[in-house]
Amino acid sequence: MRIEIDEIAKSFGTTAALHPVSFAIPSGALVALLGPSGSGKTTLLRILGGLEFPESGRVMFDGVDATGLSVQDRRAGFVFQSYALFRHMTVFENIGYGLNARPRAARPPKAEITRRVTKLLDLIQLPEIGARYPSQLSGGQRQRVALARALAIEPRMLLLDEPFGALDAKVRRELRQGLRDIHDETGLTTVFVTHDQEEAMELADLVVVMSMGRIEQIGKPQDIRARPATDFVREFITV
Amino acid sequence: MSDITTFRSATEETPLARRVLIGIAAGGLGLLVFAPLIVVFAAALQQGLAAAIASLGNQDALSAIKLTLIITAISLPLNAAFGIASAWFITKFDFRGKAFLITLIDLPFSVSPVVAGLCIILMFGTNSLVGGWLVASGYPIVFALPGIVLATMFVTFPFVARELIPVMIEQGRTEEEAALTLGASGWRVFLTVTLPNIRWALLYGVLLCNARAMGEFGAVAVVSGKIRGQTATMPITIEMLYNEYLSVAAFSMAAVLALLALVTLLLKTALELRLADQLSASNRH
Ligand SMILES: Nc1ncnc2c1ncn2[C@@H]1O[C@H](COP(=O)(O)OP(=O)(O)OP(=O)(O)O)[C@@H](O)[C@H]1O
Ligand SMILES: [Mg+2]
C-alpha cells in the first residue's frame, strides 16, 4: 500500500513534535525513520497507525484520505518499542487476539485461527512457545511474538517503533535479517523507527532522516551516504 | 576499627534495638487489636453459646444483619464501578485539574463521617428542595435505605480508586493501544486487557470497601434515624443494645460483625499473596 504524508503537523502543548512534514512511501517499500531522540519519529509513526491525530495535514493510503480513519480501521500492524504483549495471555492467545477481536461475521472459525497462529509461530521460528506467557520469554522472543501478533491481522502496512532497541548486538543482527525476510515474503509496506544509522542504512530501501520535528533528507541509503543534504545529516551518519 | 565479626548492613539495627522495636509492635498489636477482639467474643459467650445465638434470633437482630448485607451488596458493585471509572479516567487521559480530582477522591478519608451524614440530610432531607419532592412522591432518602446506601458509598468511595490508580499508572497505556491497533473496540479492550490486568487490585479494593461498608457507624447513624427493625444496621444495633445494657445481645452481634470482618481480612491476605506473586512475575518484563 502506498502511503502519502501531506503537510502533517503535531504539537504537544507548546512543544512542536512535528513541523509540517510531507513525503511519500511507495507500495511495498521498507522505510526507516532515522533521527536522534526527540526528533518526532515515534509521533509520526503513531499518526500513521492512528494512535495520534495530526493538527493539520493529511494522511493518504493508496490515494484515499485516511486522516480521520480510526485506529481499528487502519489495519496497521504496530510493533511497540516495549512490545506491549498482553501479559495475562499466552503467546498463542496474544497472536490470535486480533483475529478473535473481529466482528462475528468476519471472525475466522476457531480451527482456522489455530492454523494461522501456528503458521505465524513457524514464520517467527518459535514453533514451541505457544503455551508460554510473555514473562517467560527472552527480549528477542518477545519482539518476534509482537511481530507475529501484528502480522496476524493481515495488516495493510507494518509499523515498528525501534523494534530492536532493547536487544544485544547479536540478536539485533539476527532479527534485522528476520524482518527483511518477512518483509520480502509478505511484500507489506513497512516503516520502522530507529536512531541507529547503521541499522537504517543496512536494512531500509528508503531512509527518512529527521531532526527536531523536521525532515532533513529522504533517499536511498547509498545516496544519503554519498550526498548528505545538510550538515546535520553528514554528522549524524558519520558517528 | 574494622571488626569483621559484627558485619552489619547499613540499614540493620543492633540486636537490642531490634528486640525493643519488635516488642513495641507486638505489644501494641496485642493490646489494641487482639485483646479487644478476644474480649468481644468472651463477652458474647459469657452466658453460653446458646444465649448468644438466641440473642441473634429475634426479629430486630435478623433485620439488622439483613440490612447490613443488603447495603453492602448494593454499595460494593456501585463503588467498584465508580472506582474503575475514575481510575480509568485519571490514568488514561491527560487533562487539567487532574491533581485536584485525585484530592477530591480522597475527600471521604479526611471528612468526618458524621459531617458526610449531615451533608446528605441537608441535600435530601424533608426540608430540602430535592428531598421534599422525593418524600412527597413516596421515595424518601433520609431515614431510609437509599440514604444509608448513599452514606456508605460516600465513606467507602476512595478504596477502589485508590487501589487501582497506582496499578494502572504502572501499567501504562501501551497494552491497550496494542489491542486497539489489532482492531479491538474500546469496550473489548476494557474487558480483555484492562480488566484482567487490574483484577487483583480491584478485588483487593473491593474487599477493603466491604470491610468498611459493613462496619460504618458515624455517617449511617446520622442518616438512618436508627429505626429498630427498619433502618438500624448491625453497628447501629450494637450501639443501641449496649446502651440498653443488653450486653450479651450487643456483644453477640459485635462478634458476628467481627467474624465477617475476619473473613474479609483472610480473603485479603490470600489476595495479597497472589498480588505479590503477580507483581514479581510481571516485573520481570
Ligand atoms: N504524549 C506526549 N506529551 C507531550 N510531549 C510529547 C508526547 N509525545 C512526544 N512528545 C514530545 O514530542 C517530541 C517528539 O517525540 P517523539 O517521541 O516523537 O520522539 P522520538 O524521535 O521518537 O524520540 P526517541 O528516539 O527518544 O523515541 C519530543 O520533544 C517529546 O517530548
Ligand atoms: Mg520514539
Side-chain angles (χ1 to χ4, degrees):
Chain A
M1 189 181 66
R2 183 181 154 76
I3 302 172
E4 280 160 90
I5 291 152
D6 181 19
E7 295 289 308
I8 289 285
K10 173 83 189 176
S11 51
F12 294 101
T14 51
T15 44
L18 289 174
H19 298 283
V21 295
S22 304
F23 64 96
I25 298 170
S27 188
L30 178 55
V31 178
L33 297 181
L34 173 67
S37 190
S39 54
K41 310 180 294 290
T42 297
T43 305
L44 186 53
L45 199 73
R46 288 171 61 87
I47 288 174
L48 286 179
L51 288 170
E52 213 87 71
F53 288 90
E55 265 131 39
S56 60
R58 292 184 310 166
V59 178
M60 317 272 282
F61 293 157
D62 274 341
V64 181
D65 192 335
T67 317
L69 203 60
S70 74
V71 50
Q72 290 96 342
D73 292 335
R74 298 225 176 180
R75 288 214 354 256
F78 205 108
V79 176
F80 291 79
Q81 190 168 0
S82 54
Y83 314 134
L85 295 177
F86 307 126
R87 63 190 95 185
H88 62 286
M89 296 182 203
T90 62
V91 166
F92 200 94
E93 291 163 342
N94 263 280
I95 299 177
Y97 186 89
L99 293 174
N100 281 312
R102 284 188 185 168
R104 204 171 290 275
R107 195 182 308 161
K110 230 181 159 86
E112 171 67 8
I113 292 180
T114 306
R115 198 186 63 78
R116 289 205 213 171
V117 173
T118 311
K119 209 171 138 206
L120 283 161
L121 282 168
D122 287 338
L123 182 74
I124 58 169
Q125 297 169 359
L126 294 169
E128 309 287 332
I129 63 158
R132 289 205 219 158
Y133 284 88
S135 60
Q136 301 166 321
L137 302 179
S138 74
Q141 291 171 330
R142 283 180 205 166
Q143 198 270 347
R144 283 188 275 175
V145 171
L147 184 59
R149 183 177 69 176
L151 287 169
I153 62 167
E154 299 170 306
R156 296 198 285 172
M157 67 196 129
L158 209 48
L159 307 172
L160 306 98
D161 194 357
E162 307 212 20
F164 318 116
L167 304 166
D168 67 52
K170 182 171 164 290
V171 180
R172 285 176 88 111
R173 240 171 290 127
E174 280 169 24
L175 290 182
R176 231 184 256 178
Q177 191 53 47
L179 178 60
R180 180 83 236 181
D181 291 346
I182 284 171
H183 170 261
D184 294 348
E185 201 167 308
T186 57
L188 282 170
T189 310
T190 302
V191 184
F192 72 98
V193 163
T194 179
H195 52 240
D196 180 345
Q197 58 95 10
E198 189 201 313
E199 191 166 280
M201 298 296 186
E202 193 186 304
L203 195 55
D205 306 323
L206 194 67
V207 176
V208 179
V209 187
M210 299 182 64
S211 160
M212 295 170 45
R214 289 196 172 80
I215 292 178
E216 297 279 330
Q217 188 171 9
I218 303 175
K220 293 199 175 76
Q222 61 269 28
D223 293 343
I224 291 183
R225 272 229 180 80
R227 288 177 294 279
T230 63
D231 289 345
F232 172 85
V233 177
R234 182 176 305 114
E235 215 157 280
F236 194 72
I237 62 169
T238 47
V239 280
Chain B
M1 238 177 39
S2 67
D3 188 350
I4 298 170
T5 53
T6 61
F7 250 161
R8 186 150 55 80
S9 85
T11 52
E12 215 171 299
E13 310 296 341
T14 64
L16 177 67
R18 215 179 322 160
R19 246 169 262 157
V20 170
L21 284 173
I22 292 175
I24 291 175
L29 209 64
L31 202 67
L32 295 174
V33 181
F34 283 118
L37 210 56
I38 289 165
V39 171
V40 165
F41 283 102
L45 297 174
Q46 59 186 303
Q47 291 172 17
L49 188 62
I53 290 175
S55 78
L56 293 171
N58 66 61
Q59 277 296 312
D60 290 351
L62 287 177
S63 124
I65 296 174
K66 199 172 125 200
L67 182 62
T68 289
L69 293 179
I70 289 175
I71 289 161
T72 312
I74 297 176
S75 44
L76 276 199
L78 286 177
N79 257 352
F82 283 137
I84 293 172
S86 39
W88 169 279
F89 188 62
I90 281 174
T91 54
K92 305 290 168 180
F93 299 97
D94 294 317
F95 56 91
R96 265 165 205 251
K98 202 167 176 168
F100 177 70
L101 195 66
I102 295 178
T103 314
L104 210 63
I105 287 180
D106 274 346
L107 193 71
F109 277 165
S110 41
V111 171
S112 160
V114 175
V115 176
L118 284 175
C119 292
I120 291 175
I121 290 198
L122 281 180
M123 278 169 64
F124 297 110
T126 6
N127 294 331
S128 75
L129 209 60
V130 189
W133 178 72
L134 280 170
V135 170
S137 2
Y139 296 104
I141 301 245
V142 168
F143 306 145
L145 185 70
I148 306 176
V149 170
L150 270 181
T152 307
M153 282 181 58
F154 178 86
V155 176
T156 55
F157 183 76
F159 287 107
V160 173
R162 269 281 132 190
E163 282 305 316
L164 292 186
I165 288 170
V167 173
M168 286 169 91
I169 286 178
E170 209 261 325
Q171 294 182 339
R173 310 175 197 186
T174 46
E175 275 184 54
E176 275 125 6
E177 286 183 342
L180 290 173
T181 65
L182 294 169
S185 63
W187 182 236
R188 191 181 179 92
V189 173
F190 176 73
L191 287 181
T192 59
V193 178
T194 314
L195 208 52
N197 274 342
I198 61 171
R199 62 186 187 276
W200 297 116
L202 176 63
L203 253 172
Y204 187 68
V206 165
L207 282 180
L208 287 176
C209 201
N210 177 57
R212 181 69 196 265
M214 289 190 306
E216 175 53 26
F217 179 81
V220 173
V222 177
V223 297
S224 71
K226 301 185 181 180
I227 309 167
R228 207 180 290 258
Q230 280 183 40
T231 65
T233 61
M234 286 176 76
I236 305 270
T237 306
I238 292 168
E239 195 231 11
M240 293 196 300
L241 290 170
Y242 182 73
N243 286 344
E244 290 156 18
Y245 303 104
L246 297 167
S247 66
V248 168
F251 284 113
S252 298
M253 175 129 348
V256 172
L257 195 56
L259 274 178
L260 286 174
L262 282 177
V263 170
T264 308
L265 261 181
L266 275 179
L267 285 175
K268 189 184 87 126
T269 313
L271 262 180
E272 265 167 354
L273 293 175
R274 295 249 6 202
L275 204 63
D277 281 354
Q278 228 217 351
L279 273 182
S280 58
S282 59
N283 280 349
R284 273 171 32 92
H285 267 284

